[in-house]
Each structure stands twice: as structure tokens, then as C-alpha cells.
Amino acid sequence: MQELVFGVRGLDVLLRSALFPGATIVVAGHPGAGKTTLATTICYANARYGNKRCLYLSFQESKVKLFRVAKNLGMELEDAERRGLFRFVNLPIASSAEEIAETINDLVGSFRPDIVVVDSINAVLEPIKDPGKRAWLQNYFYRLAEMFNGLSIIIAELPFSKEDLDLGAIEFVSDVLLMLKHYVKGGKLVRLLEIRKSRGTPIYVAELPFKIVEGQGLKVFVPPMLREIKTPMKLYKFSIELFKELFGEIHAGSSILLVMPPYARTPCVFLPVVDLVLTNKLKVLLVSYKYSVEESKSILKRAFRKIMNEELLDKIFEEFFVFQGFNPYGMSMEEILMAEMELIEEHEPDIVAFHGVDTLYPMMKSDPYRYHNLAVNQIYHLKSIGKIVIRISNYINKEQFRLYSSLADIVVRSFMRIKGDKFEPYLYIWRVGKEPKIIKVSDVLEELSSKRWRDLLRRVK
């Protein structure tokens, strides 16, 4: 028998070795949590990619509804049915344990499936009042996978007020136990998949955020968690002498924080990044939590129009930048992380720049451990695969600045000093292994008249 799959990338990464002929999976959760979607996904993926036959036994769901919902999520069950790989049977709720077992045995014998789904076991067990018969039927469902040497998926319903199963021996002897949960936090729907058990599979993360996407189905996100911090040895250089003196060379995987006062945002904090990008021909993914793609481009053009023309900026944007903007308050923290990692996987940048991270400060305040855990693991993951991470923020207060600085290898912060009746801009610069320095922005601007800067811009032309 060919390898079985979940058909959900995150689960296939973590738990694929848990699927084998004779295995029993229990998918439990509250109403509307996505149990039927997950079970259908496993069936459809194995039918489509492995020519496996799936027998779907429903004691509650109608065929019309199941097929319609599946189609909306990108699963063509009608096609699998036409090919003889999917069979839906709507069974009546019977009072006899023996009658239920006999009916299922007949269906399994005639269809010879590789996968059997029971949706749901609660509907089967509730009418069985005799404790002995109920225990016998529970044991039957546990042994079902072994009887046809395939994969058995048992769906279990939980009331909203409970997270504990009451399925007798099934939950203890099952090979995989997945709990699907959803709740509302801050007006947003949060979906989590808890891996309560996976026999013979090492689990380093027990709770996974997921979402159900129209046309794509169920998407599970495995948060990046590294037991060992790894830094790639690749180094990037600067062209401008001042930046060479201040930063030396930068490792792929470095974390950089750019901070500005909200009332005086100078583009000079970005100049080291421009040098780094143009010198090393690096691709940048800029994700803004504040502005749309067009707004981000327009703001950067206004900021840099004194040091380079718009035509040149357009060429730099086209050759080196990918822009993306989204509202973080339309998503949970986990969904933000999912969206970011999907963009990184899609565009494969060398640098990932997150603009407007100060807008996430209220999230950090409401759940600091969760925020810090997600941010640190994301940075370590991106470090391990050689992505430079740049976090661009307005200065809010000392707490926010210290937290963001603690995650950085390099900090560039602009600030103002009053000289007479004028404000004079400065940059505070620090990197790991060096003493912090304060330089005038005017010193940076002098570098823009140097031959090295002009040569750097000519490379784009």
C-alpha cells in the first residue's frame, strides 16, 4: 500500500509517519470546528494523489451538503466518486450494536476501502444504552482499521463547554488524537488544532493555528520552533565607507531594528539598507502593517526624492522589492504569522522587512508571552534559513523599544536634538560586539555625494 497522507501540509510535515494501514485517528472538536473538513480532506487527498478508496459513513451529514461544502473548499468529491474512489453512505441511527457492525462489515467487504470515516461516533453510541453493548461497539470501532487493514477516521463531537472526550477505550488505544478548537478573541475567530496524541511520532509543538480558506481548504501552520539556534556563515558587505566602519559585514540571518520618532521620520535610517541591497543585489519583501502597496511606494518616493530621482526608485522597486500590505487587526497573532510565512515562502526574499511593527504593540501588551514567543521563534527560523529580518517601528515608549531591541543584532534609531531654534537629527547605532555610536545625519548625507554612492546608483541604471 502506498504512503497515506493528511493532505494538509502542516500535518504531513509533523505526523505523516503516524498514518499507516491499521491506524485509527480520532478527530474531535466542538461544532463547526472543522472536523468534517479535515476528515474529507484526508479522503480526497489520498483518492486524488494515491488512488485510495474512501468509504464515508455518515450518521448525520447529508451527501448534498458534504459535497457542496467540499467543492467550495476546492475538493471535487463528485470526480472521486465517478472514479470509484469515494463512496458516501448515509446510515440510519440504529439501536442495535450488532446491526451497526454488520452493516459496516457488509459495506467494507463490498467496497474494499483503504480509508473509512465514521461521522460521528457520538450519533452511533448515544442510542446504545446497555453499557456492555456500548463497550462492545467501542471496541469494534477501535479494531475496524485492523479488520480491513486500512486507515480509520473517527469523528467525535464535543459540546462547547467541554474539552474532555468520553469515548471509552477508543481515545486511549487510538494512534492519533486531534482536537479542533475555535474561539473568539478580540472580535476575531481563532482556530487551533491540538495534537493530544500521535503514537510513535515525536511532537515538538502540541498546538497549531489553522484556517479554512475558500478554494483551498484547511491550512495548518506549524510555528517555527528551533531547538538549536543556527546562523548561516554567508556575509554581506557595504559599499559606503561610513557604513563599513559602523557595521562591518552583516551575516545572512541578522535581525535589524530601525526606530524613528513618530513626529520626525527621517529616511536616513534606511540608507544602510539601500546600500546593503544594491551592493549585494538582495531581494526585499516589505510587509507593511500600515499602508497599502501603492501607499508604501509613494511614501518611500517622497522620502528619497532629495537623494535619488523617481525613475531610479522605480527601477530599484522593480528589480529588488516586493511590497505587501495588510491590516493586522483583521487577524489573530497566529494568522499574522501564517500570512507572513506564506509570503516569505512564495517570494523567497533575502531580506524580510516588517514596517509599522509599532501597530502590534497593543497585541504585545495584551498577551506579552504569546507575542514574544511567536516573534522570537520567527526570527530564529528566518535566521536559520539565511533571511535578514528588518523591523521598522515608531518609538512609543521605553518598554516597547527595549523589547524590540532585545530581538535585534543591529539597532538604528533616529532622534532629534534642539540646537538654538532648530532640530538637528542624529542616529544612534549599535550592533552586537560593538560599542554604540551616535552620528549626525548630516554626516550620512555627506556620503551621498561620494563617488562610491554614485557608483552604487549607476549599477541600477
Coordinates of all heavy atoms in Angstrom, one line a residue, residues 241-248 257 259 269 272 401 409-415 417 425-441 443-444:
E241 N 31.8 53.9 2.8 CA 32.8 53.8 3.9 C 32.3 53.9 5.3 O 32.7 53.2 6.2 CB 34.0 54.8 3.6 CG 34.8 54.5 2.4 CD 35.6 53.2 2.5 OE1 35.9 52.8 3.7 OE2 35.8 52.5 1.5
L242 N 31.4 54.9 5.4 CA 30.8 55.1 6.8 C 30.1 53.9 7.3 O 30.2 53.5 8.5 CB 29.9 56.3 6.7 CG 29.1 56.7 8.1 CD1 30.2 57.0 9.1 CD2 28.2 57.8 7.9
F243 N 29.3 53.2 6.4 CA 28.6 52.0 6.8 C 29.5 50.9 7.1 O 29.3 50.0 7.9 CB 27.5 51.7 5.8 CG 26.5 52.8 5.5 CD1 25.9 52.9 4.3 CD2 26.2 53.6 6.6 CE1 24.9 53.9 4.1 CE2 25.2 54.6 6.4 CZ 24.6 54.8 5.2
K244 N 30.6 50.8 6.3 CA 31.6 49.8 6.6 C 32.2 49.9 8.0 O 32.4 49.0 8.7 CB 32.8 49.9 5.5 CG 32.4 49.4 4.1 CD 33.6 49.5 3.3 CE 33.3 49.1 1.8 NZ 34.6 49.3 1.0
E245 N 32.5 51.2 8.3 CA 33.1 51.5 9.6 C 32.1 51.2 10.7 O 32.4 50.6 11.8 CB 33.5 53.0 9.7 CG 34.0 53.4 11.0 CD 34.3 54.9 11.1 OE1 34.4 55.5 10.0 OE2 34.3 55.4 12.2
L246 N 30.8 51.5 10.5 CA 29.8 51.4 11.6 C 29.4 49.9 11.7 O 29.2 49.4 12.9 CB 28.6 52.2 11.3 CG 28.8 53.7 11.4 CD1 27.6 54.5 10.8 CD2 29.0 54.2 12.8
F247 N 29.2 49.2 10.6 CA 28.6 47.9 10.7 C 29.5 46.7 10.3 O 29.3 45.6 10.7 CB 27.4 47.8 9.7 CG 26.3 48.8 10.0 CD1 26.1 49.9 9.1 CD2 25.5 48.7 11.1 CE1 25.2 50.8 9.4 CE2 24.5 49.6 11.3 CZ 24.3 50.7 10.5
G248 N 30.6 47.0 9.6 CA 31.5 45.9 9.2 C 30.7 45.1 8.1 O 30.2 45.7 7.2
L257 N 16.8 46.4 13.7 CA 15.7 47.2 14.2 C 15.9 48.7 13.7 O 17.0 49.2 14.0 CB 15.6 47.1 15.7 CG 14.5 48.1 16.3 CD1 13.1 47.7 15.9 CD2 14.6 48.1 17.8
V259 N 14.3 52.4 14.2 CA 13.3 53.1 15.0 C 13.4 54.6 14.7 O 14.5 55.2 14.6 CB 13.6 52.8 16.5 CG1 12.6 53.5 17.4 CG2 13.6 51.3 16.8
V269 N 17.6 56.5 8.1 CA 17.7 55.2 8.8 C 17.6 54.1 7.8 O 18.1 53.0 8.1 CB 16.6 55.0 9.9 CG1 16.7 56.0 11.0 CG2 15.2 55.0 9.2
P272 N 21.5 52.6 5.1 CA 22.3 51.4 5.2 C 21.7 50.2 4.5 O 22.4 49.4 3.9 CB 22.5 51.1 6.7 CG 22.2 52.5 7.4 CD 21.2 53.1 6.5
F401 N 10.6 49.9 23.1 CA 11.9 50.0 22.5 C 12.9 48.9 23.0 O 13.6 48.3 22.3 CB 12.5 51.3 22.7 CG 13.9 51.5 22.2 CD1 14.1 51.5 20.8 CD2 15.0 51.7 23.0 CE1 15.4 51.7 20.3 CE2 16.3 51.9 22.5 CZ 16.5 51.9 21.1
D409 N 20.1 42.3 16.3 CA 21.5 42.2 16.3 C 22.1 43.6 16.0 O 23.2 43.9 16.4 CB 22.0 41.3 15.3 CG 21.5 39.9 15.4 OD1 21.6 39.3 16.5 OD2 20.9 39.3 14.5
I410 N 21.3 44.4 15.3 CA 21.7 45.8 15.0 C 20.5 46.7 15.2 O 19.3 46.4 14.9 CB 22.0 45.9 13.5 CG1 23.3 45.0 13.2 CG2 22.3 47.3 13.0 CD1 23.6 44.9 11.7
V411 N 20.8 47.9 15.9 CA 19.7 48.9 16.1 C 20.2 50.2 15.5 O 21.3 50.7 15.7 CB 19.5 49.0 17.7 CG1 18.5 50.2 17.9 CG2 19.0 47.8 18.3
V412 N 19.3 50.8 14.7 CA 19.5 52.1 14.2 C 18.3 52.9 14.6 O 17.1 52.7 14.2 CB 19.6 52.1 12.6 CG1 19.8 53.5 12.1 CG2 20.8 51.2 12.2
R413 N 18.5 53.9 15.4 CA 17.4 54.8 16.0 C 17.7 56.2 15.7 O 18.8 56.8 16.0 CB 17.3 54.6 17.5 CG 16.2 55.5 18.1 CD 16.1 55.3 19.6 NE 15.2 56.3 20.2 CZ 15.1 56.6 21.5 NH1 15.8 55.9 22.3 NH2 14.3 57.5 21.9
S414 N 16.8 56.9 15.0 CA 16.9 58.3 14.8 C 16.2 59.1 15.9 O 15.3 58.7 16.5 CB 16.3 58.7 13.4 OG 14.9 58.5 13.5
F415 N 16.8 60.3 16.2 CA 16.3 61.1 17.2 C 16.7 62.6 16.9 O 17.5 62.8 16.1 CB 16.7 60.7 18.6 CG 18.2 60.8 18.9 CD1 18.7 61.9 19.5 CD2 19.0 59.8 18.5 CE1 20.1 62.0 19.7 CE2 20.4 59.8 18.7 CZ 20.9 61.0 19.4
R417 N 17.9 66.5 18.4 CA 18.4 67.4 19.4 C 18.1 68.9 19.0 O 18.2 69.2 17.8 CB 19.9 67.2 19.6 CG 20.2 65.9 20.4 CD 21.7 65.8 20.5 NE 22.1 64.6 21.3 CZ 23.3 64.1 21.4 NH1 24.3 64.7 20.8 NH2 23.5 63.0 22.1
P425 N 18.9 66.3 13.4 CA 18.7 64.9 13.5 C 20.0 64.1 13.7 O 21.0 64.4 13.2 CB 18.1 64.5 12.2 CG 18.6 65.6 11.2 CD 18.8 66.8 12.1
Y426 N 19.9 63.0 14.5 CA 21.0 62.1 14.8 C 20.6 60.7 14.7 O 19.4 60.4 14.7 CB 21.5 62.3 16.3 CG 22.3 63.6 16.5 CD1 21.6 64.8 16.7 CD2 23.7 63.6 16.6 CE1 22.3 66.0 16.9 CE2 24.4 64.8 16.8 CZ 23.7 66.0 17.0 OH 24.4 67.2 17.2
L427 N 21.6 59.8 14.5 CA 21.4 58.4 14.5 C 22.1 57.7 15.6 O 23.3 58.0 15.8 CB 21.8 57.8 13.2 CG 21.0 58.2 11.9 CD1 21.6 57.5 10.7 CD2 19.5 57.9 12.0
Y428 N 21.4 56.9 16.4 CA 22.1 56.0 17.4 C 22.2 54.7 16.7 O 21.3 54.1 16.2 CB 21.2 55.9 18.6 CG 21.5 54.8 19.6 CD1 22.4 55.0 20.6 CD2 21.0 53.5 19.4 CE1 22.7 54.0 21.5 CE2 21.3 52.5 20.2 CZ 22.2 52.7 21.3 OH 22.5 51.7 22.1
I429 N 23.4 54.2 16.7 CA 23.7 52.9 16.0 C 24.4 52.0 17.0 O 25.4 52.3 17.6 CB 24.6 53.2 14.8 CG1 23.8 54.0 13.8 CG2 25.0 51.9 14.1 CD1 24.6 54.5 12.6
W430 N 23.9 50.7 17.0 CA 24.6 49.7 17.8 C 24.5 48.4 17.1 O 23.5 48.1 16.4 CB 23.8 49.6 19.2 CG 24.3 48.3 19.9 CD1 25.4 48.2 20.8 CD2 23.6 47.1 20.0 NE1 25.4 47.0 21.3 CE2 24.4 46.2 20.8 CE3 22.5 46.5 19.3 CZ2 24.1 44.9 21.0 CZ3 22.2 45.2 19.5 CH2 22.9 44.4 20.4
R431 N 25.5 47.6 17.2 CA 25.4 46.2 16.7 C 26.1 45.3 17.7 O 27.0 45.7 18.5 CB 26.0 46.1 15.3 CG 27.5 46.1 15.2 CD 28.0 45.5 13.9 NE 27.7 44.1 13.9 CZ 27.8 43.4 12.8 NH1 28.2 43.9 11.6 NH2 27.5 42.1 12.8
V432 N 25.8 44.0 17.7 CA 26.3 43.1 18.6 C 27.9 43.1 18.4 O 28.4 43.0 17.3 CB 25.8 41.7 18.3 CG1 26.5 40.6 19.1 CG2 24.3 41.6 18.6
G433 N 28.5 43.1 19.6 CA 30.0 43.0 19.6 C 30.7 44.4 19.4 O 31.9 44.5 19.4
K434 N 29.9 45.5 19.3 CA 30.5 46.8 19.2 C 29.9 47.8 20.1 O 28.7 47.6 20.6 CB 30.3 47.3 17.7 CG 31.2 46.7 16.7 CD 31.2 47.5 15.4 CE 32.2 46.9 14.4 NZ 32.4 47.8 13.2
E435 N 30.6 48.8 20.5 CA 30.1 49.9 21.3 C 29.1 50.7 20.5 O 29.3 50.9 19.3 CB 31.2 50.8 21.8 CG 32.2 50.1 22.8 CD 31.5 49.8 24.1 OE1 30.7 50.6 24.6 OE2 31.8 48.7 24.7
P436 N 28.0 51.2 21.1 CA 27.1 52.1 20.4 C 27.7 53.4 20.0 O 28.6 53.9 20.7 CB 25.9 52.3 21.4 CG 26.5 52.0 22.7 CD 27.6 51.0 22.5
K437 N 27.2 54.0 18.9 CA 27.8 55.2 18.4 C 26.6 56.2 18.1 O 25.5 55.7 17.7 CB 28.6 55.0 17.2 CG 29.9 54.3 17.4 CD 30.8 54.3 16.2 CE 32.1 53.6 16.5 NZ 33.0 53.5 15.2
I438 N 26.9 57.5 18.2 CA 25.9 58.5 17.8 C 26.5 59.3 16.7 O 27.6 59.8 16.9 CB 25.4 59.3 19.0 CG1 24.6 58.5 20.0 CG2 24.6 60.5 18.5 CD1 24.2 59.2 21.2
I439 N 25.9 59.4 15.6 CA 26.4 60.2 14.5 C 25.3 61.2 14.0 O 24.1 61.0 14.2 CB 26.9 59.3 13.3 CG1 25.7 58.6 12.7 CG2 28.0 58.4 13.7 CD1 26.0 57.8 11.4
K440 N 25.8 62.3 13.4 CA 24.9 63.3 12.8 C 24.3 62.7 11.5 O 25.1 62.1 10.7 CB 25.6 64.6 12.6 CG 26.0 65.3 13.9 CD 26.7 66.6 13.5 CE 27.1 67.4 14.7 NZ 27.8 68.7 14.4
V441 N 23.1 63.0 11.2 CA 22.5 62.7 10.0 C 23.2 63.4 8.8 O 23.4 62.9 7.7 CB 21.0 63.0 9.9 CG1 20.4 62.9 8.5 CG2 20.3 62.0 10.8
D443 N 26.3 63.8 8.6 CA 27.5 63.0 8.2 C 27.1 61.9 7.2 O 27.8 61.6 6.3 CB 28.1 62.4 9.4 CG 28.8 63.4 10.3 OD1 29.1 64.5 9.9 OD2 28.9 63.1 11.6
V444 N 25.9 61.4 7.4 CA 25.4 60.4 6.5 C 25.1 61.0 5.1 O 25.5 60.4 4.1 CB 24.1 59.7 7.0 CG1 23.6 58.7 6.1 CG2 24.4 59.0 8.4

